Amino acid sequence: MNIAHCTQVNVADQPCLRALLGSATDSTIIETPFHCSYGVNIHLEERVFLNAGCTILDSATVRIGAQTMLGPNVQIYCAQHHKDAEKRCAGLEVAKPVTIGKRVWIGGAAIIMPGVTIGDEAIVGAGSVVTKDVPAGATVWAIPLAFAGKATAAGDIPAAISYSG
């Protein structure tokens, strides 16, 4: 399907997009470009918004709850390669589902790893890599700013310290 000429796609206006996805409502909006592995494993509830550049590797089921917003370049991965090098080189892969609740906000360039569940009304900060379940109502981010300080006259850079301001 080629929707590259559009900047915003409403599922109601694109029958071929509706056919690609496992399920979606007329109120689903997807900004282009949008990439997915299969599409058939993606299920979107009412008023889901996917911003430009989202990628969903749906080798397992991906469910996104009503009124959830994904920022630009969010990536959702279901595929996980085998940890044993021989099995990995043989092409053995496992897929784990991803579930995102209702009224969730996922900031731009966040990555959601295989098997993760994000609870209702959670917020995931931009650039985060989510490897574990996020409880409902939680606000999480995984890349905190660190202040390294100023280099000394000798060129030494002090050890990083937490920045909380």
Side-chain angles (χ1 to χ4, degrees):
M1 180 176 91
N2 181 4
I3 57 173
H5 65 282
C6 303
T7 56
Q8 187 178 76
V9 178
N10 187 309
V11 170
D13 300 331
Q14 295 290 330
C16 52
L17 181 58
R18 182 183 293 283
L20 172 73
L21 299 173
S23 62
T25 69
D26 287 348
S27 60
T28 298
I29 295 176
I30 300 174
E31 296 273 344
T32 60
F34 167 71
H35 304 279
C36 63
S37 295
Y38 304 103
V40 68
N41 294 317
I42 300 171
H43 302 277
L44 309 173
E45 293 183 7
E46 313 73 50
R47 294 177 54 197
V48 167
F49 176 77
L50 306 181
N51 210 324
C54 285
T55 298
I56 302 177
L57 303 183
D58 62 313
S59 47
T61 301
V62 175
R63 295 191 182 281
I64 301 178
Q67 298 179 318
T68 289
M69 299 184 300
L70 276 61
N73 299 309
V74 168
Q75 300 171 51
I76 300 174
Y77 302 152
C78 292
Q80 187 168 0
H81 299 286
H82 206 285
K83 293 177 182 164
D84 178 274
E86 283 188 36
K87 293 178 180 175
R88 185 172 56 249
C89 291
L92 188 61
E93 185 178 280
V94 65
K96 296 180 180 179
V98 171
T99 303
I100 300 171
K102 299 176 189 308
R103 295 177 304 281
V104 172
W105 174 22
I106 300 178
I111 299 172
I112 313 302
M113 298 300 288
V116 166
T117 295
I118 299 174
D120 293 346
E121 299 182 357
I123 298 171
V124 176
S128 297
V129 178
V130 183
T131 61
K132 298 178 182 173
D133 291 353
V134 175
T139 297
V140 297
W141 63 93
I143 305 178
L145 178 67
F147 179 75
K150 294 182 179 180
T152 64
D156 297 328
I157 299 175
I161 58 171
S162 293
Y163 175 77
S164 60

